[in-house]
């Protein structure tokens, strides 16, 4: 596909990706009203988020592998339909239990769209040219991540819309994108009549990851870090994960191709993606809470205050993407991005409840620049090293580890924040001569406006001061990713869609794999 046709197809792909990404963030501000109107409980509040997270993360590598075996366009269509129908069902839910079930199905569609959009782009554009299109992807992800809560708060506050439109709003756009893609997306599909699906490996991966995510969700809230529940869940996840590795090493069409993961650059890119995901998702998710609880801003104002991060992602993704396409070199931009990410979190680690918004904005901008320069380019490193018929599985693996890192980061940093807040609230109440009892010392109570003015000031200060600690941890996690990126091989991105044939052999003889059919650009 030439540039004009790629842009036409990209408009539909970016619309789909935006709606998929925003579905995870648009409900964050509206959740208290959603659960209240459905008469749900605090545990159900958590499960509305967890259900989607579980199914999307666990299904991502499976969708990626299916894209290598079957029609990418057909799978993308199926993913869009699953996502659209489940979004409608979420909007019509009459109980919290129904909403949780529909959100789990929505997660399957979300996992499909997150990876298939990137796989389709990889099937249209060579790695060297993919840089400038990755800039568009990074921009869409940034707007969805930052703009989602802002849009969700506005929809919820409008009496003639209400929270149900947080789920309805994306359906017309995804269906419109489906029509656009049916008309504009033209891929050369390679038929593989001998294709088989590794159901056992996929099941083992999904169950082991689900157990790990369930443990991350409940640890420190329902049971202690060191407990029999932790031993049972983590132990079972490790055993099932080991079984999955053994299966993947033996089957002909593995969901996670181990020969790809074992290579130096893909392995380093996965480690970096894991740490970047943990740092970015785990740290940035608490910025909204910092502005609302720690500083007293409204949800709409909090969304507007995160614009520096969105601007950093948009600017850096666009500029670095074009420079990558022009030079063919990707490592310098990845390293620079992770350096910026680390410096941004170090800046945010100094904040408290009275820090100048200029300093907070500067830290967020640096974090945004780091995300825009590193996230999509790390995926590009892996895609550049694999043949076209494995691009789906490789992309799924990177997306999977990034999501897994983000999930674990949110849980771990959330536990640290809750502990710090509890300690600081207790210290503040003791210093003020107020008994530490009831909701006053409960870090999980976020209804700050209903508190006594004297207690309210202590709670706000506790949240504002404690947030800096989790950003310091995020900086340490980002540093691990920085070390991994230093060891990436400085290579030039290829101009072709598929790997070029090796001298005297096939495109994959050097990797000991089957010969792929080369898709024509």
């Amino acid at each position: 596909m030439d540039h004009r046709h790629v842009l036409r197809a990209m408009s539909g792909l970016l619309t789909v990706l935006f709606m998929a990404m925003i579905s995870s963030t648009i409900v964050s501000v509206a959740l208290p009203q959603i659960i209240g109107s459905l008469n749900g409980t605090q545990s159900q509040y958590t499960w509305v988020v967890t259900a989607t997270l579980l199914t999307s993360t666990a299904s991502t590598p499976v969708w990626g592998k299916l894209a290598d075996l079957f029609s990418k366009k057909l799978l993308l269509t199926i993913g869009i339909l699953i996502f659209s129908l489940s979004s409608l069902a979420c909007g019509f839910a009459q109980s919290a239990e129904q909403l949780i079930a529909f959100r789990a199905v929505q997660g399957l569609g979300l996992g499909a769209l997150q990876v298939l959009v990137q796989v389709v782009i990889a099937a249209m554009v060579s790695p060297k040219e993919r840089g400038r299109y990755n800039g568009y992807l990074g921009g869409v992800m940034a707007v969805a991540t930052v703009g989602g809560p802002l849009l969700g708060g506005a929809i919820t506050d409008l009496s003639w819309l209400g929270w149900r439109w947080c789920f309805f709003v994306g359906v017309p756009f995804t269906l419109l994108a489906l029509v656009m893609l049916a008309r504009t997306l033209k891929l050369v599909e390679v038929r593989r009549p001998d294709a088989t699906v590794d159901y056992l490996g996929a099941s083992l991966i999904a169950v082991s990851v689900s157990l790990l995510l369930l443990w991350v969700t409940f640890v420190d809230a329902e049971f202690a870090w060191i407990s029999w529940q932790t031993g049972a869940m983590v132990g079972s996840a490790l055993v099932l994960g080991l079984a999955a590795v053994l299966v993947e090493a033996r089957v002909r069409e593995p969901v996670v191709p181990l020969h790809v993961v074992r290579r130096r650059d893909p392995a380093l890119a996965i480690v970096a993606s894991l740490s970047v995901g943990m740092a970015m998702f785990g740290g940035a998710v608490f910025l909204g809470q910092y502005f609302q609880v720690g500083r007293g801003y409204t949800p709409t104002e909090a969304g507007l205050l995160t614009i520096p991060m969105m601007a950093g992602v948009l600017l850096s993704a666009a500029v670095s993407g074009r420079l990558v396409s022009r030079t063919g070199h990707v490592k310098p931009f990845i390293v620079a991005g992770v350096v910026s990410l680390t410096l941004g979190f170090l800046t945010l680690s100094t904040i408290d409840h009275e820090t100048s918004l200029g300093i907070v904005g500067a830290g967020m901008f640096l974090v945004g620049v780091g995300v825009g320069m590193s996230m999509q380019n790390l995926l590009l490193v892996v895609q550049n090293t694999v043949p076209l018929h494995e691009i789906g599985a490789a992309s799924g693996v990177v997306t999977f580890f990034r999501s897994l890192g983000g999930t674990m980061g949110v849980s771990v940093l959330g536990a640290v924040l809750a502990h710090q807040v509890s300690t600081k609230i207790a210290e503040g109440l003791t210093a003020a001569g107020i008994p530490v009892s009831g909701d006053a010392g409960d870090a999980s109570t976020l209804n700050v406006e209903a508190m006594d003015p004297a207690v309210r000031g202590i709670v706000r200060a506790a949240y504002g001061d404690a947030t800096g600690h989790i950003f310091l941890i995020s900086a340490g996690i980002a540093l691990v990713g920085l070390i991994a990126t230093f060891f990436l091989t400085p290579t030039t991105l290829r101009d072709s869609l598929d790997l070029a044939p090796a001298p005297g052999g096939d495109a994959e003889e050097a990797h000991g794999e089957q010969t792929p059919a080369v898709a024509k650009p």
Side-chain angles (χ1 to χ4, degrees):
M1 296 177 66
D2 58 31
H3 180 60
R4 183 172 64 87
H5 289 92
V6 168
L7 285 179
R8 290 178 61 192
M10 279 287 291
S11 59
L13 292 172
L14 293 178
T15 301
V16 168
L17 183 63
F18 179 77
M19 290 298 114
M21 295 293 294
I22 207 171
S23 68
S24 300
T25 58
I26 196 172
V27 298
S28 58
V29 176
L31 264 181
Q33 290 195 30
I34 295 174
I35 295 300
S37 69
L38 296 176
N39 297 316
T41 64
Q42 179 62 41
S43 61
Q44 289 171 332
Y45 181 104
T46 303
W47 269 103
V48 171
V49 178
T50 304
T52 306
L53 197 61
L54 274 173
T55 53
S56 63
T57 303
S59 65
T60 293
V62 180
W63 284 109
K65 183 58 184 179
L66 290 175
D68 292 331
L69 302 178
F70 305 107
S71 168
K72 298 173 179 61
K73 186 173 180 178
L74 175 60
L75 288 170
L76 183 60
T77 301
I78 294 172
I80 291 173
L81 291 175
I82 292 175
F83 179 80
S84 300
L85 293 175
S86 58
S87 297
L88 277 176
C90 288
F92 286 116
Q94 299 301 308
S95 67
E97 291 84 358
Q98 288 182 12
L99 179 60
I100 291 169
F102 294 144
R103 286 279 288 175
V105 179
Q106 190 184 39
L108 293 175
L110 176 62
L113 300 183
Q114 282 181 325
V115 67
L116 290 177
V117 166
Q118 302 185 75
V119 170
V120 168
I121 293 174
M124 295 191 301
V125 187
S126 68
K128 184 178 179 181
E129 290 298 314
R130 210 173 297 154
R132 56 175 168 175
Y133 299 108
N134 279 347
Y136 302 144
L137 288 176
V140 164
M141 291 181 178
V143 174
T145 302
V146 179
L150 184 62
L151 180 60
I155 290 175
T156 306
D157 289 339
L158 292 174
S159 58
W160 51 278
L161 286 178
W163 65 263
R164 294 184 184 274
W165 277 93
C166 290
F167 301 106
F168 292 151
V169 68
V171 176
F173 293 99
T174 52
L175 295 180
L176 175 62
L178 182 61
V179 175
M180 293 168 60
L181 290 172
R183 295 170 59 89
T184 62
L185 185 58
K186 309 295 182 183
L187 296 178
V188 179
E189 300 288 357
V190 180
R191 293 186 178 276
R192 300 181 62 189
D194 60 337
T196 58
V197 180
D198 176 22
Y199 294 106
L200 178 58
S203 300
L204 288 172
I205 291 172
V207 175
S208 62
V209 170
S210 297
L211 275 175
L212 187 61
L213 292 181
L214 286 172
W215 170 72
V216 168
T217 301
F218 292 124
V219 70
D220 201 50
E222 302 294 330
F223 49 82
W225 287 87
I226 301 178
S227 62
W228 70 266
Q229 293 95 332
T230 292
M233 297 180 77
V234 175
S236 299
L238 291 176
V239 170
L240 291 172
L242 178 61
V245 171
L246 295 176
V247 170
E248 297 300 275
R250 295 172 180 270
V251 297
R252 186 165 60 89
E253 296 283 1
V255 174
V256 178
L258 298 182
H259 59 270
V260 173
V261 178
R262 284 196 297 261
R263 295 177 202 155
R264 173 180 169 178
D265 284 344
L268 289 171
I270 287 171
V271 171
S273 295
L274 184 67
S275 61
V276 168
M278 290 184 70
M280 186 199 72
F281 290 110
V285 77
F286 296 106
L287 280 170
Q289 191 178 64
Y290 167 77
F291 285 125
Q292 292 181 58
V293 181
R295 303 296 293 263
Y297 293 102
T298 66
T300 302
E301 291 169 339
L304 292 173
L305 286 170
T306 54
I307 285 179
M309 181 182 293
M310 180 172 63
V313 177
L314 284 169
L315 180 64
S316 63
V319 173
S320 66
R322 291 192 171 276
L323 290 175
V324 166
S325 292
R326 183 179 302 172
T327 64
H329 300 292
V330 69
K331 179 180 176 178
F333 302 99
I334 295 176
V335 173
V338 184
V339 167
S340 178
L341 185 71
T342 307
L343 292 176
F345 279 126
L346 283 174
T347 302
L348 292 175
S349 70
T350 64
I351 67 175
D352 56 28
H353 69 287
E354 296 178 335
T355 302
S356 165
L357 291 179
I359 295 176
V360 179
M364 287 192 297
F365 181 77
L366 287 173
V367 169
V369 169
V371 172
M373 294 182 70
S374 62
M375 183 167 288
Q376 291 302 113
N377 286 329
L378 284 169
L379 176 63
L380 191 56
V381 167
V382 178
Q383 291 178 339
N384 188 62
T385 63
V386 298
L388 186 64
H389 84 285
E390 283 188 341
I391 205 81
S395 303
V397 169
V398 177
T399 307
F400 163 73
F401 278 104
R402 189 173 63 203
S403 300
L404 183 63
T407 306
M408 297 178 67
V410 169
S411 179
V412 172
L413 295 181
V416 172
L417 180 65
H419 176 74
Q420 288 285 332
V421 168
S422 296
T423 302
K424 291 182 181 296
I425 288 177
E427 292 174 351
L429 293 175
T430 302
I434 303 173
V436 183
S437 61
D439 290 341
D442 186 2
S444 66
T445 301
L446 298 181
N447 190 9
V448 181
E449 297 301 326
M451 295 179 179
D452 180 87
V455 176
R456 185 189 308 155
I458 293 173
V459 172
R460 288 200 187 282
Y463 270 96
D465 297 347
T467 305
H469 291 275
I470 64 171
F471 288 131
L472 182 60
I473 297 173
S474 296
I477 297 172
L479 186 60
V480 175
L482 179 60
I483 294 172
T485 60
F486 275 127
F487 290 96
L488 287 172
T489 305
T491 56
T492 302
L493 298 178
R494 66 176 189 258
D495 292 312
S496 60
L497 281 179
D498 210 344
L499 289 175
D506 299 320
E508 300 176 73
E509 280 188 354
H511 306 301
E513 302 160 1
Q514 298 177 352
T515 305
V518 179
K520 298 178 181 179

